[in-house]
Amino acid sequence: MKNTFTLAGVMGWPVAHSRSPLIHNYWIDKYKLSGAYGLFPVAPDQLRAAICGLRALGISGCNITIPHKVTAMQYADWIDPCAKRIGAINTIVVQPDGALHGYNNDGFGYMQSLIEAHPQWRADTGPAVIVGAGGAARAIVVALLDAGSTEIRIINRTRSKADEFAHKFGPAISSVDWEDRQEALAGAAILVNTTNQGMHGQPALDLDLKCLPKDALVSDAIYIPLETPLLKAAKLRGNPTVNGLGMLIHQARPAFQAWFGVLPDVDTNLYTRITATI
Ligand code: NAP
């Protein structure tokens, strides 16, 4: 008998804080589907067994989150070209023949969140400045390049990681010394914080915005809190802003479609429900 109950979840360590179950189970209810999305706390030394166990358990796939996004790639049978460029996966889809396909939807989620908040915004209107050079930065840089960005400045505390971006992603990328971060904002059309600075429990991002044009879009990948000190400072001087919640919600859409067969809409009720938990 065909199993019509679809199971998916998120693997991370720790993972209890994840809002992904809220998002996917909301859509399961909304579209009256038969299935469930759960939390899979998987310690690093169990990652291989957990991923290989997906097909044996009849699970449709999973999201992959911190700290597994890079390591998980080696256990997939096929990696989407965009995820290869990013160098990490955040989604696994088990194929009908049992093969494990890896994707990274973080950059897609990021671009969709910008378009949702500011439909007129275009990537080719001016330089982008990215603070941070970790996994989120890689996904966002790939998405911005694909959307038409021709100049991206990477500012990172550890300069060598910003230099790696320039080497990996080509001439549109330049790396900026941490000490020069304030001046690097001159003429920018968009500023993106991809560090953990400003996250609940962390100090604010140490960045003075005085050189940033007043019409530059300021976005933060962080969604706890929804308004980081960076976004608050940007709003006060009149810059348009976007927080990280839209990125989280929108990255979930293609994965949901792959597992449950429906491309879900993002509605205000979903934002309200998640916001209530933050
Ligand atoms: P990651 O790979 O660990 O990168 C962290 C970055 O933060 C690195 O560039 C690191 O710089 C920088 N950093 C850490 N402490 C710093 C400090 N004290 N001062 C300056 N820079 C510092 O992490 P990630 O996966 O890219 O995630 C980064 C952020 O994005 C997190 O807040 C995460 O929650 C968020 N995120 C959001 C979404 C979403 O859906 N909204 C998705 C993914 C990630 P060094 O290289 O110098 O260490």
Side-chain angles (χ1 to χ4, degrees):
M1 199 175 93
K2 189 175 171 349
N3 179 10
T4 55
F5 192 87
T6 303
L7 268 177
V10 53
M11 288 187 193
W13 187 257
V15 78
H17 65 281
S18 171
R19 272 29 178 214
S20 290
L22 221 163
I23 297 171
H24 288 276
N25 289 318
Y26 175 83
W27 285 330
I28 289 170
D29 284 351
K30 175 172 172 174
Y31 295 102
K32 300 187 173 19
L33 302 171
S34 174
Y37 182 103
L39 293 172
F40 300 131
V42 175
D45 64 349
Q46 294 298 314
L47 185 64
R48 183 197 174 97
I51 290 177
C52 293
L54 288 170
R55 61 188 134 214
L57 289 166
I59 294 175
S60 295
C62 65
N63 284 126
I64 301 286
T65 190
I66 291 170
H68 301 318
K69 287 186 180 187
V70 174
T71 324
M73 287 183 89
Q74 61 191 284
Y75 307 128
D77 300 306
W78 177 85
I79 304 286
D80 174 69
C82 176
K84 260 191 200 160
R85 282 165 72 210
I86 294 169
I89 57 173
N90 81 336
T91 302
I92 292 176
V93 179
V94 183
Q95 302 301 302
D97 65 359
L100 303 173
H101 288 191
Y103 300 86
N104 192 318
N105 301 320
D106 280 340
F108 168 84
Y110 178 72
M111 288 310 300
Q112 291 298 307
S113 76
L114 292 193
I115 292 163
E116 181 184 62
H118 300 280
Q120 289 86 340
W121 189 82
R122 298 251 318 266
D124 60 2
T125 51
V129 177
I130 313 287
V131 189
R138 281 203 303 275
I140 289 171
V141 163
V142 166
L144 286 171
L145 287 173
D146 289 352
S149 275
T150 53
E151 182 184 348
I152 302 179
R153 305 169 190 159
I154 311 282
I155 304 168
N156 196 49
R157 181 183 59 174
T158 309
R159 173 73 190 258
S160 57
K161 284 198 208 159
D163 292 343
E164 280 170 30
F165 269 62
H167 185 68
K168 180 169 178 182
F169 296 114
I173 314 290
S174 58
S175 64
V176 178
D177 203 83
W178 187 248
E179 299 311 316
D180 300 329
R181 62 194 179 284
Q182 186 177 303
E183 293 73 26
L185 304 182
I190 183 167
L191 166 66
V192 192
N193 176 37
T194 70
T195 75
N196 61 359
Q197 300 292 281
M199 194 190 270
H200 176 72
Q202 294 286 337
L205 180 67
D206 179 14
L207 181 63
D208 189 327
L209 299 181
K210 72 176 174 214
C211 297
L212 185 73
K214 291 256 168 65
D215 59 351
L217 185 55
V218 178
S219 86
D220 205 317
I222 292 169
Y223 57 91
I224 301 176
L226 288 169
E227 188 174 81
T228 58
L230 171 70
L231 295 188
K232 193 172 184 179
K235 252 186 207 169
L236 272 175
R237 63 197 296 281
N239 290 91
T241 61
V242 182
N243 66 39
L245 185 53
M247 176 178 175
L248 178 77
I249 292 176
H250 281 277
Q251 63 76 31
R253 294 176 65 228
F256 188 88
Q257 181 180 32
W259 302 322
F260 295 97
V262 174
L263 183 61
D265 284 333
V266 173
D267 56 37
T268 50
N269 201 16
L270 177 56
Y271 272 100
T272 308
R273 289 217 192 171
I274 300 177
T275 301
T277 72
I278 291 173

